[in-house]
Amino acid sequence: MRLLIINGVNINMLGIREKAIYGNKSYEDLCNYIRDVASKEKVKLNIFCSNYEGEIVEKIQDALGEYDGIIINPGAYAHYSIAILDALRSVNLPSIEVHLTDVTKREKYRQVLLTSDACFLTIMGKGFSGYKEAILEMKKKLGE
């Protein structure tokens, strides 16, 4: 099983931005955590991060025929990116949306998740372990 992990806008600022909300661990810590989980679960993956909506759309489109599923944390793009939503729908790969925080308990504008409409599951409020849950759920979905 090959998974594409996409992290969107400002996820690269973990450990720097809003530590009271996102904690002290860095983006590198997150990537190391994800790779460790993937190794233990015998899952091949590629981790991609971009602050640019168009790059995320292109990466999703390029996933077709290369990956079995997508795990995406679009960051703030989750709340308004029809382009990312359409890209996820266009490739028709099983997708899971992950959010480090529980957006239902945050600002009102963060409570709308457009991109999750293209995902079979949304995981939120579990920090780094949300990615582990997503990998395990994707394995179930794909019969691995």
Side-chain angles (χ1 to χ4, degrees):
M1 177 173 65
R2 287 189 41 90
L3 297 179
L4 175 60
I5 310 291
I6 298 175
N7 289 303
V9 65
N10 293 317
I11 306 300
N12 63 308
M13 298 300 288
L14 288 175
I16 299 167
R17 71 182 280 225
E18 302 174 278
K19 291 181 183 181
I21 296 172
Y22 295 101
N24 293 318
K25 292 189 177 180
S26 70
Y27 182 68
E28 184 177 341
D29 293 333
L30 174 62
C31 292
N32 289 336
Y33 174 82
I34 293 168
R35 286 185 192 104
D36 185 52
V37 169
S39 176
K40 288 176 183 171
E41 294 298 324
K42 299 182 179 15
V43 171
K44 294 178 184 175
L45 55 77
N46 182 29
I47 301 172
F48 174 78
C49 184
S50 180
N51 290 314
Y52 299 97
E53 185 179 34
E55 286 183 357
I56 294 170
V57 167
E58 288 179 348
K59 194 67 172 178
I60 292 167
Q61 291 173 351
D62 290 345
L64 190 59
E66 296 293 320
Y67 296 96
D68 301 306
I70 297 172
I71 296 171
I72 184 168
N73 181 344
Y77 289 132
H79 313 298
Y80 66 87
S81 180
I82 295 170
I84 292 173
L85 169 64
D86 285 348
L88 288 167
R89 285 180 173 162
S90 71
V91 297
N92 198 30
L93 289 169
S95 298
I96 298 175
E97 186 164 303
V98 174
H99 294 279
L100 297 167
T101 66
D102 184 346
V103 297
T104 66
K105 295 179 179 162
R106 298 204 44 206
E107 303 92 338
K108 192 169 189 142
Y109 62 86
R110 291 190 194 273
Q111 295 176 21
V112 174
L113 298 174
L114 292 182
T115 51
S116 69
D117 283 350
C119 299
F120 73 87
L121 180 64
T122 301
I123 299 167
M124 63 178 84
K126 297 183 178 181
F128 285 13
S129 66
Y131 287 84
K132 179 178 181 177
E133 183 177 332
I135 289 169
L136 296 175
E137 289 296 328
M138 192 65 78
K139 283 182 73 172
K140 284 183 202 173
K141 177 78 170 175
L142 296 172
E144 299 276 325

